[in-house]
Amino acid sequence: MLKISDLKVTVDGKAILNGLDLDVGPGEVHAIMGPNGSGKSTLANVIAGRDGYEVTSGSVAFMGNDLLSMAPENRAREGVFLAFQYPVEIPGVANIALLKEGLNAARRHRGEPELDALDFLKLVREKLRLVEMKEEFLYRSVNEGFSGGEKKRNEIFQMAVLEPRLAVLDETDSGLDIDALKIVAGGVNALRSEERSVILVTHYQRLLDYIVPDRVHVLAGGRIVRSGDKQLARDLEERGYGWIDSSAGAATA
Amino acid sequence: MNSAVKELGELVGREYKEGFVTDIEADTLPPGLDESVIRFLSGKKSEPDFVLQWRLDAFRRWQAMEPPDWAHVKHAPIDFQAISYYSAPKRDEDRPKSLDEVDPKLLETYNKLGIPLEEQKALAGVAVDAVFDSVSVATTFKDKLAEAGVIFCPLSEAMANHPELVREYLGSVVPQSDNFYAALNSAVFTEGSFVYVPKGVRCPMELSTYFRINALNTGQFERTLIIADEGSYVSYLEGCTAPMRDENQLHAAVVELVAFKDAKIKYSTVQNWYPGDEEGRGGIYNFVTKRGACRGDNAKISWTQVETGSAITWKYPSVLLEGNHSTGEFYSVALTNNCQQADTGTKMVHIGEHTSSTIISKGISAGRGQNAYRGLVKVLKGAKQARNYSQCDSLLMGDRCGAHTFPYVEVKNPTATIEHEATTSKIGEDQLFYCRQRGLSEEDAVSMIVNGFCKEVFRELPMEFAVEAQKLLGISLEGAVG
Ligand SMILES: Nc1ncnc2c1ncn2[C@@H]1O[C@H](COP(=O)(O)OP(=O)(O)O)[C@@H](O)[C@H]1O
Ligand SMILES: [Mg+2]
């Protein structure tokens, strides 16, 4: 599904990712953990195609295609979804309007007919239930006046509607109380499938109690310094990132 | 607006066949302005003598005036002697026979706007329908309106058939010497509309008209007068799409509204005159005076404007709140792209007690566009408990454009409540990226964000007009990013 090789990225001339490798197969859920500032969001943004990140070497292949040469909207239409760490507010633009445009753009891209207003409404209502959101959120401006938790839920809701092949969730758990965390995790779990891969970016182990990953990677110094199964996340929780830092550069498991 | 205009086209076409305009010869005055020109204009329409005298009086006043220099716009001085003040419609044989003969670029814009073919023909001057040049052909839905007792006709017709109304109200809101361009208009106006809604009548339809500038080097000077008698209601729409043009053209219209006790007037404009090319060549100079007077208690006048066109826009639709509890509203979207300049806003003059006004202004600047909001809220001594709420938001795209806000407040009565909010924001890279991450193209993302920014204004527009306005914003911003 996603194959990242020797990815090096600089921001304003500063090296952030220094030769990162990652291979995510279809249907797999990978967790990427690491301390603040280790480059997790940078990785997520580079996958999604945000401006301001310079890829100085390496490659990112998505379904066998060169992702880095694609415009952000085409990545999205091909099935790359980013749940933002900080979802932006867009005053005056209804949540439902943005989603409808986005979904229909993807459908056109895939040669499918656009959904009409009625079918679309049916679809979004069903997906709202998944994250236990009220219908009024559809008609409110995108993220405007949403609480932190509502914003994160809205991201998962959008993911549910757009049905991506690869979802990158950037700290979707941060700022959530335990109930909201369970709802979000439930939504993500419901969307797990053979054809859908998920990258969970987090720096808490907590989320992984609810969304059990196939692989866990630790990002430090701009590279994956350790990989393992869900036990690795538990070890990290107990021993802290310092434990990894001191052994950074060691071969990854 | 589309269906209304189509109906208008059909109706006008019919009237033409009936000989409504056949007696008009295609003729154009040579450039220049003196009293003989004014006598010619007046004679052309067989105007009553009081109108001719009124024009001549305005002309003498205008000659003593100087063009305003306070607006935040720059242009070379205008040579008023280089303008031709009369141009009649072309004869059929000089007009395009079909859309095949029309500038493809213009057609492309029509298509993007989703204008139906029949209406495109009307707009492009094909066949014999729609307003052409200085001569207004448009008076619509006559039967229905007549039934309701509403008078809606070209101003020239009103001068002939309802001289007492014209004499009473012409210049009663915008005096001849109000400003340089209003004075010029008073001297040389050619056409425009007249509306009178009798007491207690709710006008049974939205009144609409298209104004277009077509003949090269011909300034257009419409004058519109709308009177809503006690307890009546009227909604008037004005919209335009101008053809490509290479020379600067002056457009100096005057609109006067009078609303009596309990009457409501809603006046909506979508202005899309030719803005000039990317380098600022060509484009319309749009110097307009629009003002309404709430002459009775509980009267209400509401201006909504979407200004996307013109090289220069200079326009301040205003309301004189004379009656107690009367209300004035101004909702505006002004967009400047490339080298466009806009200096627009409103004046709300609170005279009666408990008068209230609302100002919502949305300025969008892209390219090297310069956008100024200029607004005056004036509360006179007798205006007890007056209220105003003003909100002026500016959206910048790129870093070569400018947004400026000039709010003036003069309060002579201490019981007034004045609220003013202003924001300036840049269209966010993060907003754009967010939309693109959801699958929207960059242009669609810009269009969606900008339309969201303007939402409070668009919802004041009649439905079909709102749709057209949204598309217009998208088209006007093409190439503004990326
Ligand atoms: N747009 C940016 N401009 C400047 N520095 C940035 C930018 N984005 C990220 N960085 C820097 O890159 C490093 C990694 O940031 P980030 O990817 O956000 O880390 P994480 O998500 O792991 O907390 C930090 O030092 C951060 O300051
Ligand atoms: Mg981060």
Short mmCIF file of all heavy atoms in Angstrom, two decimals, chain A residues 11-12 14 16 35-42 53, ligand 1:
data_model
loop_
_atom_site.label_atom_id
_atom_site.label_comp_id
_atom_site.label_asym_id
_atom_site.label_seq_id
_atom_site.Cartn_x
_atom_site.Cartn_y
_atom_site.Cartn_z
N VAL A 11 12.93 21.32 6.50
CA VAL A 11 11.99 22.44 6.60
C VAL A 11 12.83 23.68 6.88
O VAL A 11 13.60 23.70 7.85
CB VAL A 11 10.99 22.23 7.75
CG1 VAL A 11 10.08 23.45 7.89
CG2 VAL A 11 10.16 20.98 7.52
N ASP A 12 12.69 24.69 6.04
CA ASP A 12 13.51 25.90 6.16
C ASP A 12 14.99 25.55 6.31
O ASP A 12 15.70 26.14 7.14
CB ASP A 12 13.07 26.73 7.38
CG ASP A 12 11.67 27.29 7.20
OD1 ASP A 12 11.24 27.42 6.03
OD2 ASP A 12 11.02 27.59 8.21
N LYS A 14 16.30 23.07 7.62
CA LYS A 14 16.62 22.24 8.78
C LYS A 14 16.19 20.80 8.51
O LYS A 14 15.05 20.56 8.12
CB LYS A 14 15.86 22.82 9.98
CG LYS A 14 16.09 22.13 11.31
CD LYS A 14 15.37 22.90 12.41
CE LYS A 14 14.73 21.99 13.43
NZ LYS A 14 13.68 22.61 14.21
N ILE A 16 14.70 17.40 9.09
CA ILE A 16 13.72 16.87 10.04
C ILE A 16 13.64 15.35 9.92
O ILE A 16 13.68 14.63 10.92
CB ILE A 16 12.32 17.46 9.81
CG1 ILE A 16 12.37 18.99 9.75
CG2 ILE A 16 11.36 16.98 10.90
CD1 ILE A 16 12.69 19.69 11.05
N PRO A 35 8.67 11.34 20.58
CA PRO A 35 8.50 12.54 21.38
C PRO A 35 8.08 13.74 20.53
O PRO A 35 8.19 13.71 19.31
CB PRO A 35 9.88 12.78 22.00
CG PRO A 35 10.83 12.01 21.15
CD PRO A 35 10.07 10.89 20.54
N ASN A 36 7.60 14.78 21.20
CA ASN A 36 7.24 16.02 20.49
C ASN A 36 8.43 16.51 19.68
O ASN A 36 9.56 16.50 20.15
CB ASN A 36 6.87 17.10 21.50
CG ASN A 36 5.40 17.02 21.85
OD1 ASN A 36 4.58 16.57 21.04
ND2 ASN A 36 5.07 17.41 23.06
N GLY A 37 8.14 16.96 18.49
CA GLY A 37 9.20 17.53 17.67
C GLY A 37 10.04 16.50 16.96
O GLY A 37 11.03 16.84 16.31
N SER A 38 9.67 15.23 17.04
CA SER A 38 10.51 14.21 16.41
C SER A 38 10.24 14.09 14.91
O SER A 38 10.97 13.40 14.20
CB SER A 38 10.31 12.86 17.10
OG SER A 38 8.95 12.47 17.02
N GLY A 39 9.20 14.72 14.43
CA GLY A 39 8.97 14.71 12.98
C GLY A 39 7.74 13.91 12.56
O GLY A 39 7.55 13.63 11.37
N LYS A 40 6.89 13.56 13.50
CA LYS A 40 5.71 12.75 13.17
C LYS A 40 4.76 13.50 12.23
O LYS A 40 4.31 12.97 11.22
CB LYS A 40 4.97 12.33 14.46
CG LYS A 40 5.84 11.57 15.46
CD LYS A 40 5.06 11.11 16.67
CE LYS A 40 4.44 12.25 17.50
NZ LYS A 40 5.46 13.12 18.16
N SER A 41 4.45 14.74 12.61
CA SER A 41 3.55 15.51 11.75
C SER A 41 4.20 15.81 10.41
O SER A 41 3.53 15.87 9.38
CB SER A 41 3.15 16.82 12.43
OG SER A 41 2.33 16.57 13.54
N THR A 42 5.50 16.01 10.44
CA THR A 42 6.21 16.24 9.18
C THR A 42 5.98 15.06 8.24
O THR A 42 5.65 15.25 7.06
CB THR A 42 7.72 16.42 9.45
OG1 THR A 42 7.88 17.55 10.31
CG2 THR A 42 8.49 16.63 8.16
N TYR A 53 7.62 21.64 2.80
CA TYR A 53 8.52 20.54 3.17
C TYR A 53 9.32 20.16 1.94
O TYR A 53 8.76 19.86 0.90
CB TYR A 53 7.72 19.32 3.66
CG TYR A 53 6.92 19.62 4.90
CD1 TYR A 53 5.62 20.11 4.80
CD2 TYR A 53 7.48 19.45 6.16
CE1 TYR A 53 4.89 20.43 5.93
CE2 TYR A 53 6.75 19.76 7.30
CZ TYR A 53 5.46 20.25 7.18
OH TYR A 53 4.75 20.56 8.30
N1 LIG C 1 6.41 24.50 8.99
C1 LIG C 1 7.46 24.41 9.80
N2 LIG C 1 8.33 25.42 9.89
C2 LIG C 1 9.41 25.35 10.69
N3 LIG C 1 9.70 24.28 11.43
C3 LIG C 1 8.88 23.23 11.39
C4 LIG C 1 7.70 23.23 10.57
N4 LIG C 1 7.08 22.06 10.72
C5 LIG C 1 7.82 21.37 11.58
N5 LIG C 1 8.90 22.05 11.98
C6 LIG C 1 9.93 21.60 12.90
O1 LIG C 1 10.20 20.27 12.58
C7 LIG C 1 10.34 19.49 13.73
C8 LIG C 1 9.37 18.34 13.73
O2 LIG C 1 8.07 18.85 13.90
P1 LIG C 1 6.81 17.92 13.81
O3 LIG C 1 6.88 17.13 12.57
O4 LIG C 1 5.62 18.79 13.99
O5 LIG C 1 6.99 16.99 15.07
P2 LIG C 1 5.96 16.12 15.89
O6 LIG C 1 4.70 16.04 15.10
O7 LIG C 1 6.64 14.82 16.03
O8 LIG C 1 5.77 16.79 17.20
C9 LIG C 1 10.17 20.43 14.93
O9 LIG C 1 11.44 20.84 15.34
C10 LIG C 1 9.41 21.59 14.32
O10 LIG C 1 9.71 22.76 15.00
#
